[in-house]
Amino acid sequence: MPEVIFPGPEGRLEGRYHPQKEKDAPIAIVLHPHPQFGGTMNNKVVYNLHYAFYNMGFTVLRFNFRGVGRSQGEYDQGVGELSDAASALDYLQSMNNNSKHCWVAGFSFGAWIGMQLLMRRPEITGFISVSPPANMYDFSFLAPCPSSGLIINGSSDRVAPPADTTALVSKLHEQKGITITHDEVEGADHFFQDRHMDTLIDTTTDYVKRRLTETTR
């Protein structure tokens, strides 16, 4: 698992980059939870998503937002973190310019950043949003949401209550031309602890594999 340092808007960013041998392998970036609440690229959900994508044949990059680990800069209310994510995607694309598919996955705060990145980058073909904090952040920028994706949360999530996630999904469902798949994992908390992690990864893997065989967005 090569450690990488790449340029971000506020200095260097620290990441873990996992390339495939195939030059045209699909690419994915994975975004971590809130930097001020202990979120790092080594968070369990982020780590497991990283390997799930790698095992499906993706070249994957996860990284620390500014001010986390060895990444330079300091927390910037999500504005700078979105720029960090854009720089990470630039870096990943620069190493993999033959890639036909580009995915973004994010957990919690990272899901919010990931969905903003979707709006800026039309080349993103799919997304995974795990435990999106729809109670804390405004997701109304998704108008319209530019690509189909999976939103997955736990029925026992106390950080981002399921009702808010369901409301977000129903808003997105009204939009034409994309399909939002929603999966609520019974009994799982915000962090998908214990056996729920397997369910999260299996659901994500099934969804991504199915999407890769389809030609539509």
Side-chain angles (χ1 to χ4, degrees):
M1 166 66 67
E3 288 186 25
V4 290
I5 297 286
F6 58 93
E10 285 294 306
R12 58 174 190 270
L13 294 170
E14 173 192 20
R16 297 287 180 277
Y17 175 67
H18 215 151
Q20 299 284 349
K21 290 193 175 68
E22 295 74 24
K23 291 286 171 244
D24 60 349
I27 56 175
I29 64 169
V30 188
L31 305 173
H32 73 68
H34 206 295
Q36 295 196 306
F37 297 98
T40 78
M41 65 174 170
N42 294 324
N43 165 276
K44 261 190 179 160
V45 171
V46 172
Y47 179 89
N48 282 300
L49 284 170
H50 181 111
Y51 275 97
F53 273 100
Y54 181 73
N55 291 336
M56 284 186 277
F58 281 73
T59 286
V60 196
L61 173 69
R62 70 185 198 271
F63 71 97
N64 280 328
F65 288 124
R66 56 185 62 198
V68 176
R70 290 161 57 208
S71 291
Q72 292 177 318
E74 51 189 57
Y75 175 66
D76 188 34
Q77 314 293 330
V79 179
E81 286 73 15
L82 176 54
S83 300
D84 294 344
S87 294
L89 189 52
D90 290 342
Y91 173 75
L92 184 57
Q93 287 173 324
S94 71
M95 317 264 274
N96 301 275
N97 39 26
N98 293 328
S99 186
K100 291 176 189 62
H101 294 276
C102 171
W103 282 64
V104 58
F107 168 45
S108 195
F109 172 84
W112 179 57
I113 298 292
M115 294 182 91
Q116 290 180 77
L117 190 62
L118 278 183
M119 296 300 294
R120 288 179 143 197
R121 304 296 283 259
E123 69 271 28
I124 295 174
T125 42
F127 70 87
I128 305 293
S129 277
V130 180
S131 307
N135 56 324
M136 296 177 216
Y137 297 107
D138 183 5
F139 281 82
S140 59
F141 56 81
L142 292 164
C145 182
S147 69
S148 299
L150 170 68
I151 293 179
I152 182 164
N153 65 304
S155 68
S156 301
D157 189 335
R158 292 194 176 159
V159 179
D164 295 293
T165 304
T166 305
L168 167 64
V169 170
S170 29
K171 263 193 211 145
L172 296 176
H173 273 165
E174 292 162 15
Q175 300 182 9
K176 306 258 183 300
I178 57 146
T179 308
I180 301 297
T181 303
H182 179 213
D183 205 301
E184 189 168 286
V185 178
E186 190 53 47
D189 66 4
H190 191 64
F191 300 97
F192 288 85
Q193 305 205 47
D194 308 323
R195 68 184 191 287
H196 298 302
M197 184 67 76
D198 292 340
T199 311
L200 167 64
I201 296 306
D202 291 348
T203 304
T204 299
T205 301
D206 291 348
Y207 175 79
V208 176
K209 279 185 170 164
R210 178 170 62 73
R211 282 284 307 281
L212 289 176
T213 61
E214 295 169 357
T215 49
T216 59
R217 286 173 83 88

